[in-house]
Amino acid sequence: MDIKFNEILKEKKSDISKRWLEVILASYPNDKSGFLMNQQDRFANPIGYTFSTGIDGILEVLVKGEDFSESISFLEDIIKVRAIQDFSPAKAMAFIFQLKTIVREALGKDIGQSQINLALLEFESKIDDLALTAFDIYVKCREQIYELRTDELKRMTFTLLKKANLMSEIPVQEFEHKDQK
């Protein structure tokens, strides 16, 4: 990436991070008190803590231009939270694409003055790659949730049938005997 672009990004990183967190938390309409934004304790506010540390980690990797393998754990943590909530896939993933707008707003005048358009396009391409990785993680998390729900339904059904005496277990010897014939 362009050195000038990296310098400007490092300068504006804390503003970008703060704004990105605000945008993510704005997707939670029930947080009228600002609890998710203002409570910094990781035990009192695990969602806010996960988001703020995750955002910082992801931005750090993007600014340094490192491989995503460094930020994958930060991204996974955020995506896991979004996957278990009642968001559509588009809404759950929207925060990644919103980073493009936030970066453009933060860089504002610097984009035209510093001739960093090419570097900005490269940076936005990395955000797109991050979104693809995030979507893969999201799909895996949703699959796992559906598998857990299915397993729980099977267990509940089995328990109900057993309690109603509508199910009986076949002894192993009887079962094996039928297979040998």
Side-chain angles (χ1 to χ4, degrees):
M1 240 188 303
D2 185 63
I3 295 171
K4 180 73 173 168
F5 180 74
N6 273 357
E7 289 174 9
I8 295 170
L9 262 182
K10 285 178 186 173
E11 235 175 71
K12 311 261 181 176
K13 184 178 166 255
S14 66
D15 293 337
I16 293 169
S17 178
K18 184 178 178 190
R19 179 70 183 122
W20 198 17
L21 182 61
E22 289 171 359
V23 167
I24 292 172
L25 297 180
S27 66
Y28 293 90
N30 296 335
D31 186 36
K32 305 239 186 293
S33 66
F35 176 79
L36 291 174
M37 183 70 163
N38 298 326
Q39 178 59 262
Q40 301 299 320
D41 182 28
R42 80 183 281 177
F43 298 107
N45 181 10
I47 292 174
Y49 178 81
T50 298
F51 288 162
S52 62
T53 56
I55 285 169
D56 290 340
I58 292 167
L59 277 177
E60 189 67 33
V61 170
L62 286 172
V63 169
K64 287 181 179 177
E66 294 175 353
D67 187 29
F68 290 138
S69 60
E70 294 288 322
S71 67
I72 208 79
S73 64
F74 296 118
L75 185 61
E76 275 183 346
D77 293 343
I78 293 173
I79 298 301
K80 284 178 183 177
V81 170
R82 305 285 283 185
I84 62 170
Q85 295 169 334
D86 226 2
F87 291 127
S88 68
K91 191 169 181 181
M93 297 290 105
F95 76 98
I96 295 173
F97 295 107
Q98 291 166 334
L99 179 59
K100 290 181 182 183
T101 305
I102 294 166
V103 168
R104 283 187 175 272
E105 288 171 357
L107 298 181
K109 299 173 191 168
D110 294 322
I111 294 172
Q113 293 174 351
S114 303
Q115 300 298 319
I116 57 173
N117 289 330
L118 213 54
L120 180 61
L121 289 174
E122 184 182 328
F123 185 77
E124 288 180 343
S125 177
K126 287 183 179 192
I127 293 172
D128 291 339
D129 292 342
L130 183 71
L132 292 172
T133 303
F135 191 73
D136 286 343
I137 294 168
Y138 178 82
V139 168
K140 286 178 187 171
C141 288
R142 293 302 290 194
E143 284 175 0
Q144 186 176 14
I145 290 169
Y146 292 132
E147 285 174 10
L148 290 171
R149 286 181 181 168
T150 303
D151 290 346
E152 183 61 25
L153 282 172
K154 286 177 184 176
R155 275 192 296 277
M156 287 173 38
T157 304
F158 178 78
T159 304
L160 286 173
L161 289 172
K162 199 168 183 177
K163 283 183 180 180
N165 288 327
L166 296 174
M167 175 163 267
S168 63
E169 294 184 29
I170 301 172
V172 177
Q173 294 170 341
E174 233 181 271
F175 185 71
E176 289 175 357
H177 181 68
K178 288 179 184 178
D179 287 344
Q180 292 176 357
K181 285 185 182 180

